[in-house]
Amino acid sequence: MGPGGSGKSAIISQIHHRVVNSKGLLFIDMAEDPQIATKKSLRGELAKALQLPFDSLTRASPKVDVPNELGEAIKLRGIWGIVIDELQDALLRSKQEQRANMSILKKLVGPAYGLKMFGFGTVAARLALSSNDEFKRRFFEFPLENWKESEEFRSFLFEIEELMPLKLPSKLYSEEMTKAIITISAGRMDKTVELLRCAASYAIRRKIECIDIQCLKWAAKSPWGY
């Protein structure tokens, strides 16, 4: 759980590369699309992830948490887990719809299917889950906090620098550079990455082939000025 820009989407994008048998995972994004007038439904997004027609599932009784078609597809395809992005958008609904979605999730992670569930969302998702005693017992929360000056952050900067197309070392992990990056970005993942991307562009434009403090200052003041 974490605020927008804390790196949730980046983690999800790496699951395919880092999780064994990730083909057995269903990926669902519950974020509302402003171009679509109707709200996403959890049952509908499950059907879409399984590539099943949703029209037939809408006729299923609302008292049935997981329609037969969904359940059979989950078992036949060897699905072992579900990844839900923007979980709060599935939980912060009307009381009736919230109860229905909670029931679907409980059914999927219960004995009938035994799926593992990985939910990514904001603090609102945590509050919604904690309001249900059963979910509170079942789930382990891992908060995504802003970066602080630490060995982990320096290791992260080292890896970022390795990926940059600059010919000379920037030593982003040095004490001076680390403090400057933390100060400018406030430790937010998205701001940190954007800051370094813009600073690298300034370094290339200036033909110095490395990021220095001045590049960071320019990137902070005018991200698109290069």
Side-chain angles (χ1 to χ4, degrees):
M1 304 296 177
S6 59
K8 298 186 295 295
S9 297
I11 293 174
I12 293 174
S13 69
Q14 290 298 310
I15 290 177
H16 282 300
H17 307 290
R18 297 176 180 267
V19 175
V20 177
N21 192 22
S22 61
K23 291 182 179 180
L25 287 170
L26 289 181
F27 289 82
I28 294 176
D29 185 356
M30 290 301 299
E32 297 298 339
D33 188 340
Q35 297 180 348
I36 300 177
T38 58
K39 285 188 175 184
K40 291 181 179 179
S41 73
L42 180 57
R43 188 184 288 187
E45 293 306 305
L46 279 168
K48 185 188 298 184
L50 288 165
Q51 298 180 326
L52 295 176
F54 181 55
D55 291 341
S56 63
L57 300 179
T58 58
R59 295 193 292 270
S61 170
K63 295 181 180 180
V64 178
D65 297 325
V66 181
N68 290 335
E69 295 92 334
L70 284 178
E72 290 174 4
I74 288 172
K75 291 179 179 179
L76 288 173
R77 298 183 189 182
I79 302 299
W80 62 269
I82 177 173
V83 179
I84 304 179
D85 193 12
E86 303 299 345
L87 180 60
Q88 71 280 352
D89 285 341
L91 301 178
L92 301 180
R93 301 291 180 91
S94 65
K95 288 185 178 180
Q96 181 178 359
E97 190 175 359
Q98 185 185 69
R99 284 196 296 268
N101 288 344
M102 286 282 199
S103 294
I104 291 173
L105 295 178
K106 282 195 285 187
K107 187 76 171 181
L108 292 174
V109 301
Y113 299 99
L115 299 188
K116 307 295 182 185
M117 191 183 106
F118 305 90
F120 293 80
T122 63
V123 174
R126 181 189 69 188
L127 295 175
L129 288 175
S130 63
S131 66
N132 184 290
D133 290 337
E134 187 173 348
F135 273 92
K136 195 173 182 179
R137 292 195 308 271
R138 284 177 179 266
F139 290 95
F140 173 77
E141 180 186 343
F142 186 86
L144 295 176
E145 300 176 346
N146 291 336
W147 284 112
K148 297 179 181 178
E149 190 177 350
S150 63
E151 287 303 315
E152 289 79 8
F153 185 54
R154 291 189 180 91
S155 296
F156 169 71
L157 293 178
F158 177 81
E159 292 179 8
I160 288 287
E161 184 172 337
E162 289 290 298
L163 297 173
M164 288 183 171
L166 298 175
K167 297 178 181 178
L168 299 176
S170 302
K171 296 184 179 180
L172 299 176
Y173 47 84
S174 67
E175 183 177 357
E176 180 185 22
M177 295 294 282
T178 299
K179 286 183 177 180
I181 293 168
I182 287 287
T183 299
I184 295 172
S185 68
R188 289 288 294 274
M189 174 66 82
D190 59 342
K191 290 184 178 180
T192 298
V193 173
E194 182 64 15
L195 173 70
L196 296 178
R197 187 191 68 79
C198 294
S201 298
Y202 273 110
I204 293 172
R205 183 67 180 271
R206 292 170 60 203
K207 298 181 180 181
I208 62 173
E209 292 297 333
C210 70
I211 298 174
D212 58 14
I213 293 294
Q214 187 60 55
C215 287
L216 294 177
K217 290 180 178 179
W218 281 335
K221 183 177 181 180
S222 182
W224 304 104
Y226 55 84

